[in-house]
Amino acid sequence: MTPRYPPEMLSVLDRPNSYIGKTVPRPNLDRLMQGRGLYVSDLELPRMAHVVFLRSPHAHARILGIEMSAARRMPGVIAIVSGSELASVITPWVGVLSHLKGLKSAPQSAIAIDRVCWQGEAVAAVVAASRAQAEDAAERVSVEYAALDAATDMLTALDPATPVIHGSLGDNLAFERNHDAGNVDQAFADADAVVEAEFVFGRHTGVTLEPRSVVADWNAGEARLTIYQGTQAPHMVQNIAALHLGLNESQVRVVCKDVGGSFGIKVHIYADEMATYALAKLLRRPIKFVADRVESFNTDIHARDHRCKGRIGVKRDGAITAFEIDDLTGIGPYSMYPRTSAIEANQVVNLVGGPYVTRNYRARARVVFQNKNVMCQYRAVGHPIACSVTESLVDLAAMKIGIDPIEIRRRNLIADDAYPCVSPSGLRFEQLSHHAALAKLVKMMEYDRLRAEQAILRAKNIHRGIGIASFIEVTNPSAAFYGVGGAKISSQDGVAVRLDAQGSVICQTSITEQGQGSESLTAQIVGSVLGVSMDRVRVVLGDTDNTPYGGGTWASRGAGIGGEAALQASKALRKNVLDVAAAILQSTPGELEIVNGRVVSVADGTPRIELSELARIVYFRPDTLPPGIQPELMATRHFVPREYPFAFTNGVQASWLEVDTDTGFVKLLKHWVVEDCGTIINPQLVDEQIRGGVVQGLGAALFEKCVYDERGQLTNANMVDYLVPMPGEMPDIDVGHVVSPTLESELGAKGAGEAGTAGAAAAVSNAVNDALMPLGVTITEIPLTPQVILTALGKI
Amino acid sequence: MKASAFAYARATSVSEALELLVVHGESAKVLSGGQSLMPAMNLRLISPEFIVDIGGLTELGGIAVERGILTIGALTRHVDLLKSTEIAAHAPLLTQAVAHIAHPAVRNRGTIGGSLAHADPASELPACMITLGAVIIARGPLGERRIAAEEFFRGIYETALLPHELLVAVELPVAPEGSTHFFHEFSRRRGDFAIVGLAAQAIVRDGQFVDLRLGFFAVGDRPLLAKSGSKLIGVPVTRTVLSEACSALSEELSPMGDQQATPAMRRYLAKILLARCVGSLLSRADLGLGGEE
């Protein structure tokens, strides 16, 4: 028996047999690997019908009439429903939040009424016994349109000559934010060099493996709607569905089983999902909607369509004096509901210059409407824009004054002992570790050796580049994100744990699982704190009837907020268990401890009573307990950070790549990430989160773009023409860590979901420009396609 | 994305398949490996009323070598081409090219007959056929026709096949003694359709080309057997000669623009590809991309 320590001397995370910081297999792995996952597509309910949405081929058009009679006669057709018919059961919405001052949008309906505003907006719902029959019938619905002028180019969206998409709003400006900190003009005047550039970011999307899917089941008998949906935020869906269907939240249950990837795509409420809920109520039967790949491209939110002018001032010694940006983004015809489409631009303003000490920062961000698919929050909202602009400017400044990219960062990154501090945009940092991360990165990548190799290869006309990108990442948002703006999106999460009659644990949590490991991290925390093995912890997620109320999994908040709730609930249950054990054993709780599913003596580790025996007594022979003892073998705790509105993580990424200057092709050779997400619960899950995030960032850097023509037609809405990053083109990604736990929680976890995406594209852009430096070419546009590179090189 | 309703018959013999094609005419489509047909149907780009599935016709399978001719049955799957020792020995260009066709899942199902009859101008096998001087064998109700590969491809998804004909096999002359080959394609990702591709076969003696056949693909509406290759045959290849050949190649091309490349970029990349091909086949790094001496 190993020596025992009084439990109070160890943190709950360091207890014997702790799972914290250990790579353990995810509890759901066997189930998923054996094909026993349950996705919405798998669901078959009695009397279930399938809906297919007939979608507008026009970017902007008036609907003059919809002829449905031929379609109604098609085999299997149950109903064909227009926007105005559906409006009898569901109300429209406006995607604004009060804390984003001036943000405006127009009422949006579940199905378009009178007018369509983007190619892909639904104009009618065709409900049939099968998806194939619904598609057959949809081909027979004829819609008469009168095409309207479309506003598609964000650069001209505010021009007087451009049609105003929503007349009632007066113009196409959805939101503008201006920020001015320090003395920017003086700082630029004091600089020895000022560099400016305009950065272009391609519009892209999330491409989840499983498309958006809903089964909505209205049970008229109990006046209750059950929504089965792959979502990141079940309680938010419950609130919104109830609000617009005229129900109480208690009349709506949201069930979220397995989800095939989300990345922020599934944290919103889409018009077609609202229509599916409404159809279930209207037709009084279960309705299934599974987006196909083409409509996923046309309706899943897009992101990142930004053009940003940036300016940096720098002294000869490398000190950065100021940053200035002017960002423009086009968000489609409506601000998305309920999180709004102003958040990304707002984040860009918040995050530019974030890792650096300079206090002088001026920013303008404008968000405009356009007749394209809606844009909204996708993994690492705003971060890749802010990071690319900042890190490109830093490299351009370094180039201008002739110092090394690592050196300029060393001279300007906020010192690791300078915390807590506030960024020029007013963000409060508790504890970051930029310098430790950079030092670790330099070592991991053997920076000096790589530079030497680069020089040798340059002499042979081989153009390799090194790109560095420091970043910060917003995690663990408090109510400051959405709640203060009036959105009913919870920033707190809850966990309930209980001991069953055989001493196993059932844990219900309000965070959700979409493949990132929420279930595993919850079981690891609960098992560690309670002193039971993970295989005796069963985690229940994704059911508004059966979990505490909470936000869900998004904004890198699952581990930091849901994990802490799990920790506190488990601590409470442990105390309750030990109280009962003490009563049974005529001991005191302080003398007892739970290890490996049994209560043991703290002093010498002697087994005292199995949890199964304790549970047997509590549940079946309470008569044998001492008088006055009422055991509570269930405990619930909720958590939300209160001190800081957001946690911040930080890190640095590096890319090593080769540009074929004859062909414009880029070969990624290696990628490194050092990040600081605070306490690491499961190293493998964290590393894979980072790698997956990096890959999505690399997709943005080199491949992914929603290509619209000038008429607002999406021209590559398929998996052949829209290029997602594939394994063949991906480099090895080495991940290292610095650990600065947050003191806001006992757990200390900050979140790791978006760090990879935040900085990957910036590292690649900088590496490409580093490779092309001898040729005197700088490119500030992504994706860096061969066409873009050859054009910049003057080859075509 | 569900295909429109269609009628389906699985043919049990070539003659039955041909009868079905005669009966259903233009409303019928032949299903072989289904790797192009099924996506097109599911996207409702096409909605054939009748599908003739030839997947069970074992008589259309197999690879054989006889008297200097390599015969490949139409139902031979890409994966079988890739693994075939006969192909590796007698048409090594094909072995190399097939590895570039999409991904393993597609290669496991897709067939050579299907790929050739589909005639996507950006796909690998049609270009290989013209480079290797293949003969396409089509069988119709009145018997077999032999069509030179160069005559077979007529445009985007257009071939010399008549609606009642079935592509049953291809014949290739075995690679000549001492021949060498080059295959490369520029594609955005591994397995994607090429932006520009080149399948070349050559005979090199004493540092000069005795023969050079250049089959370009994704440079027009059909694969192109480049005549400009002849400028490189029987002469010492210098940077100037290479430049002239590249310029001549540019004249021959009529590339189209798409999401990945403008016509100008295709023209440019085709020249790069020719230069790299020549440098590789002659083992001459000094030629570079051609240019002034």
Side-chain angles (χ1 to χ4, degrees):
Chain A
M1 191 60 62
T2 50
R4 314 308 306 175
Y5 300 97
E8 62 271 20
M9 288 180 63
L10 292 169
S11 98
V12 290
L13 305 176
D14 305 323
R15 288 156 39 79
N17 306 316
S18 170
Y19 293 106
I20 306 303
K22 298 212 173 75
T23 292
V24 291
R26 302 151 57 159
N28 55 12
L29 210 52
D30 286 349
R31 185 173 61 80
L32 294 171
M33 295 300 285
Q34 290 176 25
R36 296 307 300 266
L38 185 60
Y39 299 87
V40 173
S41 308
D42 296 321
L43 205 62
E44 296 290 341
L45 297 179
R47 295 179 67 247
M48 188 176 81
H50 298 257
V51 62
V52 162
F53 293 99
L54 184 68
R55 296 185 181 277
S56 168
H58 299 281
H60 198 193
R62 196 152 290 290
I63 302 168
L64 300 178
I66 305 178
E67 176 49 51
M68 302 174 174
S69 52
R72 285 206 167 105
R73 291 193 295 272
M74 291 289 286
V77 170
I78 291 162
I80 300 177
V81 182
S82 70
S84 52
E85 289 168 299
L86 203 62
S88 65
V89 283
I90 190 161
T91 56
W93 55 88
V94 181
V96 295
L97 288 169
S98 61
H99 68 309
L100 297 165
K101 290 194 176 43
L103 172 62
K104 63 194 187 206
S105 188
Q108 185 180 1
S109 302
I111 294 178
I113 300 171
D114 298 337
R115 188 170 66 118
V116 288
C117 289
W118 86 89
Q119 179 232 341
E121 186 172 6
V123 292
V126 180
V127 181
S130 74
R131 169 96 196 182
Q133 287 175 322
E135 286 190 23
D136 286 344
E139 288 189 341
R140 303 293 179 93
V141 177
S142 69
V143 183
E144 193 184 346
Y145 294 101
L148 298 169
D149 285 342
T152 56
D153 185 354
M154 64 181 175
L155 288 174
T156 58
L158 300 177
D159 291 356
T162 303
V164 174
I165 295 175
H166 305 293
S168 60
L169 301 180
D171 58 25
N172 288 330
L173 183 66
F175 178 67
E176 176 165 348
R177 179 179 167 196
N178 287 279
H179 184 80
D180 200 343
N183 190 338
V184 174
D185 291 328
Q186 188 63 47
F188 278 118
D190 293 344
D192 293 315
V194 174
V195 190
E196 51 184 69
E198 180 166 5
F199 301 90
V200 180
F201 299 88
R203 182 183 258 254
H204 61 106
T205 183
V207 197
T208 56
L209 196 57
E210 179 204 25
R212 290 187 296 107
S213 315
V214 179
V215 171
D217 181 11
W218 173 252
N219 184 329
E222 54 178 13
R224 205 155 188 257
L225 180 70
T226 302
I227 296 170
Y228 303 90
Q229 181 167 345
T231 175
Q232 300 173 238
H235 283 103
M236 181 192 85
V237 172
Q238 178 191 43
N239 168 263
I240 299 287
L243 181 66
H244 293 280
L245 291 167
L247 302 171
N248 295 318
E249 288 186 23
S250 61
Q251 289 176 281
V252 179
R253 176 186 177 192
V254 178
V255 180
C256 175
K257 299 279 188 180
D258 292 308
V259 183
S262 51
F263 319 121
I265 300 297
K266 296 175 184 170
V267 80
H268 313 291
I269 308 267
Y270 293 78
D272 46 25
E273 295 164 1
M274 290 282 236
T276 306
Y277 315 152
L279 285 166
K281 189 148 181 281
L282 187 73
L283 301 173
R284 296 162 75 96
R285 62 193 301 162
I287 305 288
K288 177 184 269 191
F289 167 62
V290 179
D292 69 26
R293 191 54 71 185
V294 175
E295 62 189 340
S296 295
F297 277 113
N298 277 298
T299 61
D300 284 5
I301 56 110
H302 295 172
R304 317 277 203 254
D305 196 359
H306 286 247
R307 294 182 81 100
C308 187
K309 290 178 189 151
R311 199 149 79 100
I312 186 171
V314 65
K315 297 281 229 186
R316 247 182 300 278
D317 68 0
I320 295 167
T321 62
F323 286 100
E324 182 174 13
I325 62 154
D326 186 2
D327 184 44
L328 176 67
T329 181
I331 55 160
Y334 297 101
S335 172
M336 195 69 183
Y337 191 60
R339 291 170 190 248
T340 86
S341 303
I343 299 282
E344 179 147 280
N346 199 51
Q347 287 282 58
V348 173
V349 173
N350 281 343
L351 296 171
V352 163
Y356 299 102
V357 290
T358 181
R359 307 292 307 162
N360 306 306
Y361 173 47
R362 185 156 58 212
R364 176 172 76 154
R366 287 172 302 159
V367 177
V368 299
F369 293 115
Q370 53 185 177
N371 293 111
K372 291 180 179 175
N373 182 26
V374 287
M375 285 224 314
C376 202
Q377 285 80 286
Y378 161 59
R379 194 174 196 174
V381 188
H383 292 68
I385 313 294
C387 182
S388 290
V389 169
T390 305
E391 295 302 294
S392 261
L393 288 172
V394 169
D395 266 21
L396 289 172
M399 203 192 305
K400 185 93 171 186
I401 58 168
I403 70 170
D404 184 87
I406 295 285
E407 191 51 37
I408 194 170
R409 287 175 174 81
R410 277 194 192 120
R411 292 186 197 177
N412 289 282
L413 288 166
I414 300 170
D416 291 356
D417 60 4
Y419 300 94
C421 67
V422 180
S423 84
S425 61
L427 304 170
R428 292 166 58 215
F429 300 135
E430 181 194 7
Q431 178 64 54
L432 302 178
S433 58
H434 287 297
H435 289 269
L438 184 64
K440 188 160 189 172
L441 180 90
V442 164
K443 201 169 162 203
M444 272 170 68
M445 69 189 290
E446 299 181 76
Y447 183 79
D448 293 335
R449 186 191 62 73
L450 222 50
R451 281 285 178 214
E453 186 178 331
Q454 179 187 38
I456 291 166
L457 290 170
R458 266 184 185 159
K460 296 178 184 168
N461 218 23
I462 293 170
H463 298 281
R464 291 195 177 175
I466 299 170
I468 307 290
S470 288
F471 65 89
I472 52 174
E473 185 208 344
V474 179
T475 63
N476 296 358
S478 71
F481 236 26
Y482 297 113
V484 298
K488 301 279 196 309
I489 301 168
S490 185
S491 55
Q492 61 87 59
D493 274 289
V495 171
V497 284
R498 74 173 193 263
L499 210 61
D500 78 3
Q502 290 190 318
S504 291
V505 181
I506 297 164
C507 169
Q508 296 150 301
T509 175
S510 60
I511 64 169
T512 53
E513 164 82 60
Q514 301 110 37
Q516 62 275 79
S518 304
E519 190 178 337
S520 181
L521 73 87
T522 303
Q524 285 180 252
I525 292 166
V526 171
S528 300
V529 175
L530 274 179
V532 301
S533 66
M534 271 176 72
D535 58 11
R536 293 184 67 178
V537 180
R538 179 170 162 70
V539 180
V540 177
L541 331 80
D543 185 344
T544 56
D545 266 7
N546 288 305
T547 65
Y549 201 93
T553 299
W554 41 272
S556 301
R557 65 188 298 287
I561 298 177
E564 177 69 8
L567 185 154
Q568 296 301 338
S570 302
K571 272 177 74 178
L573 178 59
R574 181 163 140 256
K575 177 182 179 304
N576 293 355
V577 168
L578 292 178
D579 284 349
V580 177
I584 293 170
L585 300 168
Q586 298 180 334
S587 177
T588 62
E591 293 174 295
L592 301 171
E593 162 70 306
I594 311 171
V595 176
N596 284 337
R598 60 168 65 124
V599 176
V600 302
S601 158
V602 172
D604 56 9
T606 311
R608 299 297 303 277
I609 184 170
E610 298 284 332
L611 286 181
S612 55
E613 175 62 9
L614 180 141
R616 186 192 66 80
I617 294 167
V618 167
Y619 290 130
F620 306 119
R621 294 302 307 274
D623 55 308
T624 65
L625 291 169
I629 295 286
Q630 176 53 60
E632 287 292 347
L633 297 189
M634 179 163 184
T636 305
R637 289 292 182 273
H638 292 77
F639 178 72
V640 65
R642 296 296 298 276
E643 180 62 29
Y644 286 86
F646 311 100
F648 274 92
T649 75
N650 69 281
V652 57
Q653 302 197 15
S655 170
W656 170 236
L657 53 75
E658 183 172 320
V659 182
D660 183 335
T661 54
D662 290 333
T663 64
F665 277 72
V666 174
K667 185 172 172 53
L668 302 172
L669 301 170
K670 184 95 184 183
H671 200 96
W672 297 267
V673 181
V674 176
E675 65 79 53
D676 184 346
C677 64
T679 303
I680 293 171
I681 298 161
N682 185 324
Q684 188 175 44
L685 286 178
V686 169
D687 286 359
E688 295 314 322
Q689 278 284 305
I690 299 296
R691 290 196 179 95
V694 165
V695 167
Q696 285 185 308
L698 297 177
L702 297 181
F703 299 109
E704 296 185 61
K705 186 176 182 181
C706 298
V707 181
Y708 275 89
D709 68 16
E710 67 288 349
R711 296 174 304 123
Q713 297 287 318
L714 181 58
T715 60
N716 62 340
N718 62 71
M719 295 296 278
V720 172
D721 295 317
Y722 182 97
L723 307 181
V724 294
M726 302 273 273
E729 286 67 44
M730 291 299 104
D732 283 345
I733 301 166
D734 279 3
V735 183
H737 305 278
V738 176
V739 177
S740 313
T742 174
L743 302 180
E744 278 249 53
S745 67
E746 204 167 333
L747 183 62
K750 294 175 172 175
E754 299 165 282
T757 312
V764 167
S765 292
N766 282 352
V768 167
N769 286 326
D770 185 52
L772 298 181
M773 202 192 300
L775 305 171
V777 169
T778 300
I779 308 174
T780 54
E781 174 181 351
I782 60 168
L784 286 154
T785 65
Q787 179 94 43
V788 166
I789 291 174
L790 287 176
T791 304
L793 290 171
K795 299 277 173 102
I796 53 172
Chain B
M1 284 193 289
K2 307 287 182 195
S4 304
F6 56 86
Y8 167 95
R10 187 166 169 91
T12 53
S13 67
V14 171
S15 52
E16 190 199 351
L18 291 173
E19 281 167 27
L20 290 167
L21 290 178
V22 169
V23 171
H24 295 282
E26 305 249 357
S27 63
K29 272 279 179 190
V30 175
L31 172 65
S32 177
Q35 298 305 294
S36 301
L37 181 64
M38 296 316 296
M41 287 172 63
N42 285 339
L43 286 164
R44 298 200 177 201
L45 297 173
I46 55 170
S47 299
E49 290 167 25
F50 198 92
I51 293 295
V52 180
D53 181 357
I54 60 167
L57 304 183
T58 48
E59 57 192 299
L60 297 184
I63 297 165
V65 193
E66 207 176 337
R67 286 192 288 272
I69 298 293
L70 186 60
T71 303
I72 305 171
L75 273 189
T76 307
R77 299 189 194 279
H78 304 321
V79 64
D80 298 325
L81 293 176
L82 194 61
K83 290 181 179 167
S84 161
T85 51
E86 282 93 349
I87 301 284
H90 300 298
L93 171 66
L94 208 48
T95 304
Q96 199 184 336
V98 169
H100 291 263
I101 300 174
H103 304 280
V106 171
R107 295 198 291 266
N108 285 342
R109 300 293 305 167
T111 67
I112 187 169
S115 172
L116 299 179
H118 183 55
D120 188 314
S123 63
E124 293 82 1
L125 290 178
C128 290
M129 293 302 113
I130 62 166
T131 298
L132 297 175
V135 172
I136 314 282
I137 301 173
R139 199 180 299 167
L142 303 176
E144 280 191 357
R145 276 205 302 151
R146 300 167 59 80
I147 310 162
E150 267 195 273
E151 303 298 318
F152 183 77
F153 301 102
R154 299 284 175 86
I156 300 172
Y157 309 141
E158 281 180 33
T159 69
L161 274 184
L162 299 172
H164 301 163
E165 283 181 321
L166 196 61
L167 193 164
V168 293
V170 296
E171 289 180 1
L172 307 169
V174 300
E177 196 70 21
S179 70
T180 172
H181 67 275
F182 174 91
F183 184 93
H184 191 74
E185 63 181 47
F186 294 123
S187 63
R188 293 290 304 281
R189 301 172 303 180
R190 245 168 260 194
D192 282 354
F193 280 110
I195 295 176
V196 176
L198 172 57
Q201 184 165 280
I203 298 174
V204 178
R205 248 176 243 135
D206 305 324
Q208 288 188 15
F209 287 114
V210 176
D211 187 26
L212 176 62
R213 290 175 69 86
L214 303 169
F216 280 92
F217 53 104
V219 292
D221 69 351
R222 68 195 81 177
L224 173 86
L225 191 64
K227 295 183 184 66
S228 38
S230 64
K231 291 189 179 298
L232 298 159
I233 296 174
V235 296
V237 177
T238 61
R239 287 171 69 93
T240 309
V241 169
L242 178 57
S243 265
E244 284 168 7
C246 286
S247 301
L249 172 67
S250 194
E251 296 295 309
E252 284 188 78
L253 305 177
S254 46
M256 289 170 285
D258 63 12
Q259 304 257 335
Q260 308 308 342
T262 58
M265 177 165 155
R266 285 210 152 78
R267 212 177 274 282
Y268 167 83
L269 285 179
K271 289 190 277 186
I272 301 280
L273 206 42
L274 176 57
R276 288 186 176 180
C277 168
V278 170
S280 164
L281 290 174
L282 297 178
S283 306
R284 290 270 304 278
D286 61 297
L287 289 172
L289 301 176
E292 299 300 311
E293 294 298 316

